[in-house]
Amino acid sequence: MLKIEHLKKHYDNFSLDCSLELMSGCVTGLIGQNGAGKSTTFKAILGLISTDGGNITILGKDIKDFTVKDKENLGVVLSDSGFSGYLKIKDIIPILQNMYSKFDKSLFIEQAQRFQLPMNKQIKEFSTGMKAKLKVLVAISHNAKLLILDEPTAGLDVIARDELLEMLREFLEKDEERSILISSHISSDLESLCDDLYMIHDGRIILHEDTDVLLSDYALLKVDAEQYGKLDKQFIMRSKKETYGYSCLTNQKQYYIENYPKIAIEKGTIDEVITMMIRGTEQ
Amino acid sequence: MKGLLVKDFKLMMLQKNFLLLILAIVIGMMILSDDMVFPIGFLSFVASLFTVSTISYDDFDNGNAFLFTLPITRNNYVIEKYSLGLLFGCIAWILATVLGIIVTVSKDILPVTDLVQSSLIILPMMIVVQAIMLPFQLKFGGDKGRIAMIGAFGALAVISIVIVKGAEAIFKVDLISLLDNLPTVSMGVFLAITIIVALLMLLVSMKISLSIMNKKEF
C-alpha cells in the first residue's frame, strides 16, 4: 500500500530519516512527541515538501509518477490545514463532486447530518470537534483506498474522539483492501484501531511492533538496586533510574514472570513504552 | 480544474455584496459624469483584484497544504488562477463597456467609436496588471504580497516615465502626442499589438508563477 525507504529531510535543527511500510488492509499508527517528525513524514508522502533522499511508493507507484487520477485514491487529513474557513459545507459538496469521480454525495450528507454538522455555517465558526469530523468525513467520502491522517484526533474530547474512530472503523469495514496510516501523539487513541505501530523520535523510527504484541508482551519491571544487579538483562530493552531503584522495559514479559516471581511487573501501556524508549538508556 | 473553479466562484461569492456595490458605484459614475473611461477601467481592475483575493483565501490558515492533497497539481492551480483572472476580468470589462455604450448613447455625448477605442486600451492594461499581481501574490501570499505589489507598480510607473522622458530628451520624440495623433487605422494596429504584447506578458508571468508554485513547500 505504502512504502517509505530512508526518507530524508534536513532542516537547520532537525533531520528526518524514516522508513516504514503499510500493508494492504492494515491500519498503521505513527506515534511520537510534538516535533518528532510525524507531520514532516506525512507532508513528504503527500508531496507537499521536497525531500533530500529516499523513496516513497504509494499504491505501487513512486510518488514522483503520481497523477491526479492516482490522488483520487487517497483521503487526507492534515492537522494544521483544511478547506478554507470561509467556505460552508454546502459549498464544499459541489467542489468535491467536481474533484472526485467517485464522490458519494448521499453518504456525505447522511454522515454530516448524523454528526450534526451544520450545512450553512462557515467552517471557521465550527467547534474543534466539528472541524475534525468534517475533515475525516471529506477524506472517507470518495471511496479512497488509502487514508493518510495526520493527528485527526488532536484536541478532541473522549466522545468526539470515539465518534471519529467509529467513522474510521465503518470506512474500513466496507472494503477489506482499505488501509489507513494515522498519527497521534496520544497513543491511547491508536491502541484500539491500529494493527501495528511505529514510534518516531527525533526524526528516527525507534520501534515497530504489532499492537497486540505491544500490549501483551511488553511490560515494565520495577526493581530495587539489588534486584537490578541480579536481573538477567538479555530481554531488557531500556532501563531508567528511579527513586526506588530501576524501571526496566522488556518485550518478554512471560520470561520475567516465570523466572523472577518476586519482581513487580506492570503491564506496559503504550504511553509508558514510549516514555521508556525515549527516556530510558539502552542495554 | 473544474473543482478549483467552483471553489473560487464560491469564495468570490462571499464578497458579492461588495461586488454589487462597486457595480452600483460604476453605474452612478457613468450617469453623473461624462467620463466613461475611468469607470470602465475601475470595474475591470476591481474584478482583477477579486480573482487575486481568492489566492489569499486559499492561503488562509495554511489552507494551501490541504488543497494540494486534493486531486489537482500545482500546475493546474496556477493555470486555473490565470484563466479565472482573464475570464472574470474580461466579463467585467465587457459589462463595463456595454454599460458605458448604453449611457453614452442615451446621453448622446461622445461618438461610440471613441469610447470603444478608449475601452480597448484598458483591456491590455488590465491584462498587464494581472500579469504583475499574480506572481507576487503567489510568491509572497496575502500581506507581504500586497506590499511587494505596490513596489512593483511604483517601479513600473517610474520605468514608463523614464521611457517617455528619455525618448523626449534623447530622441526628441514626444511619445504621448505621437500616440494621440495616430490615425485611426494605425490606432487599430497599435491596439492589436498592445493586446498581443500584454497577452505575451501574461504568458511569461504564468511561466514565472508555475516555477514559483513548483518550488513552494507547505
Side-chain angles (χ1 to χ4, degrees):
Chain A
M1 257 313 173
L2 170 70
K3 194 170 184 184
I4 304 176
E5 291 168 308
H6 290 288
L7 164 67
K8 290 189 173 67
K9 177 76 183 172
H10 304 292
Y11 292 110
D12 285 345
N13 45 10
F14 175 80
S15 80
L16 180 80
D17 184 351
C18 171
S19 300
L20 61 81
E21 191 168 5
L22 169 59
M23 300 297 183
S24 174
C26 282
V27 182
T28 295
L30 185 62
I31 313 179
Q33 295 168 301
N34 295 325
K38 300 185 297 289
S39 291
T40 308
T41 307
F42 276 71
K43 286 184 174 178
I45 296 172
L46 295 165
L48 296 173
I49 54 173
S50 63
T51 57
D52 301 323
N55 295 314
I56 302 171
T57 324
I58 307 178
L59 303 164
K61 219 170 180 180
D62 192 291
I63 52 157
K64 291 182 197 92
D65 306 323
F66 228 58
T67 62
V68 166
K69 203 78 199 149
D70 294 323
K71 272 175 133 182
E72 288 199 29
N73 291 317
L74 304 182
V76 181
V77 170
L78 294 178
S79 55
D80 59 351
S81 178
F83 270 116
S84 175
Y86 291 98
L87 294 172
K88 299 168 181 171
I89 292 187
K90 72 174 172 97
D91 297 330
I92 288 179
I93 293 172
I95 297 174
L96 290 171
Q97 252 176 327
N98 283 296
M99 290 254 182
Y100 292 98
S101 54
K102 291 181 189 157
F103 177 65
D104 189 343
K105 188 180 172 185
S106 54
L107 173 93
F108 185 90
I109 293 173
E110 182 195 305
Q111 296 277 337
Q113 280 164 352
R114 175 176 154 202
F115 294 110
Q116 293 172 333
L117 301 176
M119 288 283 163
N120 213 356
K121 192 172 172 182
Q122 287 190 329
I123 297 170
K124 65 186 170 76
E125 310 288 336
F126 279 22
S127 71
T128 312
M130 283 152 79
K131 278 183 195 160
K133 282 176 204 162
L134 175 63
K135 281 184 187 179
V136 172
L137 184 53
V138 169
I140 62 172
S141 61
H142 52 82
N143 203 9
K145 290 194 179 120
L146 169 64
L147 297 189
I148 297 177
L149 313 174
D150 188 15
E151 309 239 5
T153 54
L156 296 189
D157 60 62
V158 187
I159 307 278
R161 191 191 66 189
D162 284 351
E163 281 178 335
L164 207 142
L165 295 178
E166 190 57 38
M167 283 165 90
L168 294 178
R169 280 195 197 92
E170 284 169 14
F171 169 81
L172 287 167
E173 275 166 16
K174 284 185 193 151
D175 184 347
E176 283 181 357
E177 301 251 298
R178 289 178 170 179
S179 315
I180 302 180
L181 177 68
I182 181 169
S183 81
S184 178
H185 59 272
I186 302 163
S187 60
S188 52
D189 289 0
L190 304 181
E191 233 175 76
S192 58
L193 188 73
C194 293
D195 299 303
D196 61 333
L197 294 169
Y198 283 85
M199 257 173 229
I200 186 167
H201 181 62
D202 270 345
R204 306 279 182 281
I205 298 290
I206 52 169
L207 185 74
H208 174 219
E209 193 63 89
D210 286 346
T211 315
D212 294 343
V213 176
L214 208 56
L215 292 173
S216 65
D217 294 355
Y218 281 64
L220 285 177
L221 314 179
K222 308 219 158 165
V223 292
D224 58 29
E226 193 193 332
Q227 284 170 323
Y228 183 72
K230 288 179 190 164
L231 199 68
D232 177 359
K233 299 192 182 65
Q234 63 168 320
F235 300 118
I236 299 291
M237 301 170 74
R238 295 280 194 283
S239 62
K240 190 166 142 253
K241 189 124 181 52
E242 305 278 1
T243 46
Y244 54 82
Y246 291 90
S247 65
C248 309
L249 177 72
T250 177
N251 58 355
Q252 297 289 335
K253 181 167 77 180
Q254 209 51 36
Y255 174 82
Y256 290 97
I257 292 177
E258 283 165 14
N259 292 300
Y260 300 92
K262 286 182 184 154
I263 288 180
I265 299 180
E266 281 178 13
K267 182 179 169 297
T269 66
I270 292 176
D271 281 326
E272 281 166 335
V273 174
I274 297 173
T275 313
M276 282 300 287
M277 288 303 291
I278 293 169
R279 296 265 167 77
T281 47
E282 210 166 332
Q283 290 296 310
Chain B
M1 188 90 148
K2 201 173 151 209
L4 283 174
L5 282 169
V6 172
K7 172 189 67 66
D8 284 341
F9 178 71
K10 298 281 179 194
L11 286 171
M12 287 197 292
M13 278 302 110
L14 289 169
Q15 307 175 75
K16 66 170 181 289
N17 289 341
F18 184 61
L19 201 61
L20 288 173
L21 183 72
I22 298 286
L23 195 62
I25 292 173
V26 164
I27 294 172
M29 277 196 286
M30 285 177 169
I31 294 170
L32 297 176
S33 140
D34 287 347
D35 180 12
M36 295 296 139
V37 181
F38 179 74
I40 293 174
F42 182 64
L43 191 66
S44 310
F45 291 127
V46 170
S48 302
L49 274 177
F50 261 69
T51 60
V52 172
S53 76
T54 62
I55 298 176
S56 311
Y57 278 118
D58 291 339
D59 208 24
F60 176 74
D61 263 358
N62 196 29
N64 268 331
F66 175 72
L67 204 59
F68 288 113
T69 69
L70 297 172
I72 55 157
T73 64
R74 295 178 184 213
N75 288 359
N76 290 155
Y77 181 80
V78 172
I79 294 168
E80 186 264 352
K81 288 296 176 204
Y82 277 80
S83 315
L84 183 78
L86 214 52
L87 186 79
F88 202 63
C90 285
I91 290 174
W93 174 78
I94 291 169
L95 179 71
T97 306
V98 168
L99 281 174
I101 292 173
I102 293 170
V103 177
T104 311
V105 170
S106 60
K107 283 209 259 181
D108 198 17
I109 29 175
L110 194 83
V112 171
T113 45
D114 279 15
L115 176 75
V116 172
Q117 208 173 62
S118 314
S119 164
L120 276 169
I121 295 176
I122 289 170
L123 188 63
M125 280 165 71
M126 180 193 82
I127 295 172
V128 171
V129 166
Q130 288 189 6
I132 294 169
M133 281 198 297
L134 283 162
F136 274 100
Q137 197 72 21
L138 289 170
K139 172 85 185 169
F140 298 104
D143 291 334
K144 274 188 273 172
R146 224 163 291 147
I147 297 164
M149 227 143 59
I150 294 168
F153 281 116
L156 197 70
V158 171
I159 292 169
S160 352
I161 292 169
V162 167
I163 291 175
V164 172
K165 295 279 176 199
E168 220 173 74
I170 302 167
F171 304 107
K172 309 271 180 270
V173 197
D174 186 350
L175 284 177
I176 293 171
S177 67
L178 197 72
L179 260 183
D180 281 344
N181 295 324
L182 271 184
T184 324
V185 183
S186 42
M187 190 67 191
V189 177
F190 170 74
L191 276 173
I193 291 171
T194 30
I195 291 176
I196 290 168
V197 170
L199 284 173
L200 283 176
M201 280 178 76
L202 194 69
L203 218 60
V204 172
S205 154
M206 192 164 88
K207 272 270 191 219
I208 296 169
S209 294
L210 284 170
S211 100
I212 289 171
M213 280 318 271
N214 281 308
K215 280 190 199 124
K216 261 196 164 182
E217 305 226 325
F218 299 103

